[in-house]
Amino acid sequence: MKVITIGRSPENDIIINDNKVSRTHLQIVQDDNGNYSVIDFNSTNGTFVNGQQITGEVRINQGDEVKIGNTVLPWSQSCFSPVQTSIEPSTEFPSTTPRSFIHSKNFWEWAAAAVMVLAIGIGGFIYFNGEKKVESALVKGIEIVDKKQKAKDVEKFNEYYKKADRLRRRGEPAGPTLDSMKQIAKDYPDDKELESKINEFK
């Protein structure tokens, strides 16, 4: 014989969260011949099989509806599977009694969605903030490269300037050298010093 007890008490094999269910409301029994029956334990609000209130022990078959309080038990012979001699303690059957939102499936779906949105938001902030830092670093890197390049160009410009000045002092034309100076200065149109040195040869 196999037996499971059902009710609100944590001591039952199956716990029903329904205020109209007694602490120990009923038993479902499988006898040695494989027959199933439900036994009401003089519950306050009764046990109903297929809509009829029962007293004592009543035979039940696959597909019969067993209702206690506001809860319809999804009873089936699988409760007494050969490899399962009893139902795990604290197994809860669904109840038609309104439950607090925190225990509902919708609550956890919303909670999961909220966590996902929060994670995406934080990830996006980190990503874009990191991207701005990378962009800032690139800009600074370019500025450093530009300054180094300009320093090299100015150094070369001054070499051409000295050469052009020597040619001018000797009365020789400084055309090609002056052209090289102009070519360098062209890349730095805002540099007044380069422009001033070129104007010396006009």
Side-chain angles (χ1 to χ4, degrees):
M1 178 181 290
K2 299 175 184 178
V3 178
I4 59 172
T5 59
I6 301 173
R8 284 190 296 108
S9 172
E11 297 175 357
N12 292 291
D13 297 306
I14 297 177
I15 302 170
I16 305 296
N17 292 321
D18 185 335
N19 291 331
K20 292 187 177 181
V21 172
S22 298
R23 290 183 59 80
T24 302
H25 197 107
L26 59 83
Q27 282 184 343
I28 295 180
V29 179
Q30 179 191 26
D31 63 24
D32 295 335
N33 295 319
N35 298 314
Y36 299 88
S37 59
V38 59
I39 303 172
D40 183 83
F41 285 162
N42 296 319
S43 61
T44 302
N45 295 302
T47 298
F48 296 80
V49 176
N50 298 327
Q52 298 295 319
Q53 186 170 359
I54 68 168
T55 56
E57 183 174 355
V58 173
R59 181 76 59 85
I60 54 176
N61 299 301
Q62 180 75 29
D64 286 344
E65 179 184 273
V66 180
K67 182 177 180 181
I68 56 176
N70 290 318
T71 303
V72 176
L73 302 180
W75 175 83
S76 71
Q77 294 177 9
S78 62
C79 291
F80 296 95
S81 171
V83 296
Q84 186 176 17
T85 59
S86 65
I87 303 299
E88 288 293 327
S90 300
T91 301
E92 294 184 11
F93 278 62
S95 171
T96 55
T97 303
R99 303 178 66 187
S100 61
F101 181 64
I102 195 169
H103 290 100
S104 69
K105 179 181 178 182
N106 288 339
F107 170 81
W108 295 109
E109 289 177 348
W110 279 102
V115 170
M116 185 176 294
V117 170
L118 182 61
I120 292 173
I122 293 173
F125 173 79
I126 294 173
Y127 173 78
F128 288 112
N129 191 45
E131 189 176 61
K132 288 181 180 179
K133 288 182 179 180
V134 171
E135 181 181 356
S136 177
L138 288 174
V139 170
K140 289 181 179 179
I142 292 172
E143 289 177 352
I144 292 172
V145 171
D146 286 347
K147 288 180 179 179
K148 288 183 177 180
Q149 183 61 45
K150 182 177 180 180
K152 291 181 180 180
D153 289 343
V154 169
E155 183 179 0
K156 186 177 294 185
F157 177 92
N158 287 330
E159 290 176 0
Y160 287 133
Y161 172 77
K162 291 176 182 178
K163 182 178 180 180
D165 186 56
R166 288 195 298 270
L167 291 172
R168 181 180 58 179
R169 291 177 185 277
R170 293 199 299 262
E172 299 177 8
T177 305
L178 186 58
D179 289 339
S180 297
M181 292 170 58
K182 289 179 180 180
Q183 188 64 36
I184 294 173
K186 184 178 180 181
D187 293 333
Y188 308 99
D190 296 329
D191 193 318
K192 300 300 181 182
E193 183 178 355
L194 299 183
E195 182 181 354
S196 176
K197 289 183 176 180
I198 290 172
N199 290 336
E200 290 179 13
F201 295 93
K202 289 185 178 179

